[in-house]
Structures are given as C-alpha cells and as structure tokens.
Amino acid sequence: SGVCRRLFSVPILLFFVGVGLLWNPSSLHAATLVVDSGGGGDHLTIQAAVNASAAGDTIQINAGTYNESVNLSTGPGSLSFVGIGLPTITGVDSFSNAAPITADFTFDGLIISGSSDGILLTDVTGTIQVLNCAFSAGDNDHLEIIVNTGVNTTALVSGNIFNDTGSNEHGV
C-alpha cells in the first residue's frame, strides 16, 4: 500500500513540475502595438490597434497623420497611447467613448488637430492622463479635453500646449 501511494504521487508531482516549467509569467506582461500609417507597424489605424489590444497594452503611434475618430468603448479597457515623432490625429472626436467604461487611459506625445472635441471621455471610472500633447483648432473647431465622470476618477493634465485660431469653446 505504501509503494502504491508513492508510485501514484510521483506522476502527479512530475505533472505539476512540468506545468511550472511551461508556465511563463513574462507572457502576462502588456504588449506594445505599433500603429504606422506607412505600413511599418502592426496596424495602419489607431482604431484597429484599439480593437486588437488587451487591457494594459501600449499603443505606440508613429509619426504621420491619422484622420480618425477613435472609439475607446470598443477596446479592452485600460490603454496607453504614446506618440513617437509627434503623430497628428484629426477626427470629429479624436478620442471618445460611446458607453460607460471602467479603465485607465494615458495620452502622451500626440498632436490633436482640427477635431470637434479633442479628447471627449464621459462616464469613465479610472485614471485619465493627458501629457505632453499639443491641441490646435481651426475656425469652427473646439479645442478641448473633456472628462465628464462620476466618482473615483482622477484626471492629470500636464505639459500640454493649446493653440487656437477659432472662436468656439476651448480648454480643459
């Protein structure tokens, strides 16, 4: 009976050791998805990268002009958008959400130009950071960062530049 118990426990022990060797905790780290309008990245559009991302990923946006209105509601939740080479995003609402979400968002190193509302986030619970971005608006455009949320939301806006030639609303 003791021999039978030892023989049975050895395969179980080997199974768990094998699982431990195959499990790679580095696979749990967030990924960086590269957006390049010239085709040198993982995606051609920011929206495609959002749709393909997982929570916690960074979306690196390479230099270029992206005429998009990025809907953050279609994504997984928490994302960071990092511009390399000052990419320009133009769209009706460059970044917005169509449904309430719980997520953290970071926007860093982007030029948001000529959009109706630059960053329009409503009903978001989480942390929203807008860092080192440049906002420029034309004659009938709004120049805004709008964060309309409930409780438990933190917004950090730092190092941004606002340049307006229009007559509509502008500000944070």
Side-chain angles (χ1 to χ4, degrees):
S1 124
V3 172
C4 185
R5 193 174 297 147
R6 269 188 250 143
L7 288 177
F8 180 70
S9 62
V10 169
I12 292 174
L13 177 64
L14 290 175
F15 170 77
F16 285 111
V17 168
V19 168
L21 292 174
L22 292 175
W23 182 65
N24 181 2
S26 66
S27 66
L28 300 177
H29 295 295
T32 298
L33 289 76
V34 178
V35 178
D36 192 308
S37 60
D42 303 314
H43 301 280
L44 293 173
T45 66
I46 302 165
Q47 187 66 60
V50 168
N51 295 346
S53 64
D57 283 353
T58 296
I59 297 177
Q60 174 184 310
I61 306 168
N62 288 347
T65 299
Y66 302 86
N67 187 10
E68 298 186 56
S69 295
V70 180
N71 181 356
L72 300 176
S73 299
T74 65
S78 300
L79 293 171
S80 294
F81 298 89
V82 177
I84 303 295
L86 298 176
T88 301
I89 295 93
T90 62
V92 175
D93 294 321
S94 293
F95 293 95
S96 64
N97 63 300
I101 52 178
T102 299
D104 299 325
F105 294 108
T106 299
F107 305 91
D108 190 356
L110 306 173
I111 298 173
I112 298 176
S113 177
S115 64
S116 177
D117 292 311
I119 297 175
L120 173 63
L121 299 176
T122 58
D123 294 325
V124 175
T125 301
T127 300
I128 299 163
Q129 298 182 74
V130 183
L131 311 169
N132 310 309
C133 293
F135 294 81
S136 69
D139 208 15
N140 291 315
D141 298 319
H142 301 273
L143 180 61
E144 301 172 314
I145 301 170
I146 299 174
V147 178
N148 180 15
T149 63
V151 296
N152 299 323
T153 299
T154 302
L156 172 63
V157 178
S158 178
N160 298 289
I161 298 171
F162 293 85
N163 179 22
D164 181 33
T165 58
S167 57
N168 285 322
E169 299 120 7
H170 355 345
V172 178

